[in-house]
């Protein structure tokens, strides 16, 4: 079965600093990959997705992620964090063929310090 | 579109009572998902529907849980009888045909069972 690992439960970043959130997946084939963000008291919102093609994908709110097949990783990055980015971030994976449901990681809570 | 609409947003009930959570998916979306989120277990898929038909309910924790989708614009998740360990945030999400797992989430229903 596919699985998603987000090794960092919490991360604190200073406002204006760069951010990288890690995500590793376990699956034999190339899956579809997603990053979602959850603000307090809200549902999850899609930041970006990777299906195929260019391994560097751009998303909303200035986020990007890079798919690295050799490392089974799909890390999320942002060059300059804003206080409004404080939220919980979820990586998710699904099979790359046909239809399958999403498997979510446990999430990484991002705290932004002044 | 108003997005995925869930009600109630908050529910506090006593052990043994029946709980019904409601969801209105985005018009035109033919997949509907119910997820449960807890600190310990993260996001868990409970059940999903395609064209109002339950496809996979293997995530439903036990017989106390049931879900229905009587038409394309409405779904319910019922817990009867409720127990304190059911306390969680329950999310409904929907996706479009051929949407390749791009889910749109509702804001969630926070359930507290005393």
């Amino acid at each position: 079965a596919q699985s998603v690992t987000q090794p960092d439960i919490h991360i604190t970043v200073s406002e204006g600093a760069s951010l990288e959130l890690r995500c590793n997946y376990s699956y034999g084939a190339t899956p579809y990959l997603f990053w979602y963000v959850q603000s307090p008291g809200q549902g999850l919102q899609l930041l970006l997705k990777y299906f195929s093609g260019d391994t560097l994908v751009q998303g909303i709110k200035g986020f990007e992620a890079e798919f690295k097949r050799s490392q089974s990783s799909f890390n999320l990055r942002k060059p300059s964090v804003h206080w409004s980015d404080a939220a919980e971030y979820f990586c998710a994976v699904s099979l790359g063929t046909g239809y399958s449901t999403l498997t979510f990681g446990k999430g990484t809570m991002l705290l932004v310090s002044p | 579109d108003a997005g995925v609409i869930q009600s109630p947003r908050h529910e506090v009930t006593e052990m043994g009572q029946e709980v019904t959570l409601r969801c209105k998916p985005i018009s035109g979306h033919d997949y509907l998902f119910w997820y449960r989120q807890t600190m310990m277990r993260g996001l868990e898929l409970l059940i999903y529907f395609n064209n109002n038909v339950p496809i996979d309910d293997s995530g439903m924790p036990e017989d106390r849980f049931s879900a229905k989708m009587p038409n394309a614009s409405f779904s319910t998740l019922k817990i009867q009888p409720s127990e304190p360990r059911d306390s969680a945030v329950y999310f409904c999400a929907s996706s479009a045909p051929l949407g390749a797992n791009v889910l749109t989430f509702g804001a969630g229903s926070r359930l507290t069972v005393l």
Side-chain angles (χ1 to χ4, degrees):
Chain A
Q2 61 217 43
S3 66
V4 182
T5 302
Q6 294 181 249
D8 303 306
I9 298 174
H10 296 99
I11 281 186
T12 300
V13 175
S14 298
E15 190 168 16
S18 63
L19 168 72
E20 183 169 27
L21 302 182
R22 296 182 290 166
C23 173
N24 293 94
Y25 65 90
S26 172
Y27 187 63
T30 299
Y32 292 159
L33 297 159
F34 306 79
W35 276 98
Y36 282 82
V37 60
Q38 183 181 25
S39 298
Q42 300 298 315
L44 280 71
Q45 179 185 20
L46 179 69
L47 280 177
L48 48 79
K49 60 187 182 291
Y50 172 79
F51 293 159
S52 65
D54 191 345
T55 57
L56 184 64
V57 293
Q58 303 297 319
I60 62 171
K61 305 185 180 186
F63 285 92
E64 66 178 26
E66 186 172 13
F67 168 57
K68 292 185 177 180
R69 185 191 306 274
S70 62
Q71 299 176 19
S72 297
S73 69
F74 189 56
N75 294 349
L76 182 71
R77 300 194 294 248
K78 186 170 184 178
S80 177
V81 169
H82 188 261
W83 63 266
S84 60
D85 294 325
E88 189 157 23
Y89 291 79
F90 293 90
C91 182
V93 61
S94 70
L95 289 173
T97 56
Y99 185 84
S100 75
T101 57
L102 288 179
T103 299
F104 284 89
K106 291 292 182 66
T108 298
M109 181 66 73
L110 173 65
L111 306 174
V112 180
S113 61
Chain B
D1 198 315
V4 176
I5 300 172
Q6 292 187 246
S7 65
R9 290 295 311 277
H10 301 274
E11 175 92 6
V12 180
T13 190
E14 293 188 345
M15 183 174 63
Q17 296 298 305
E18 176 180 301
V19 173
T20 299
L21 308 178
R22 298 171 178 81
C23 175
K24 176 179 169 56
I26 291 175
S27 177
H29 281 193
D30 63 346
Y31 283 91
L32 183 140
F33 305 81
W34 283 100
Y35 282 86
R36 178 172 66 176
Q37 185 180 38
T38 61
M39 289 290 291
M40 290 298 295
R41 301 173 69 92
L43 274 162
E44 303 173 277
L45 177 64
L46 300 178
I47 184 172
Y48 79 96
F49 296 82
N50 180 220
N51 291 322
N52 313 336
V53 176
I55 302 301
D56 184 353
D57 66 354
S58 60
M60 296 285 261
E62 47 196 278
D63 292 345
R64 297 185 297 105
F65 286 69
S66 63
K68 294 181 179 180
M69 192 166 185
N71 57 62
S73 60
F74 184 65
S75 177
T76 59
L77 178 67
K78 184 177 293 186
I79 308 172
Q80 180 185 22
S82 58
E83 296 182 3
R85 59 192 168 125
D86 302 329
S87 297
V89 181
Y90 292 82
F91 287 103
C92 177
S94 67
S95 71
L98 303 179
N101 296 327
V102 178
L103 272 60
T104 301
F105 281 79
S109 295
R110 180 175 295 276
L111 172 65
T112 302
V113 183
L114 303 175

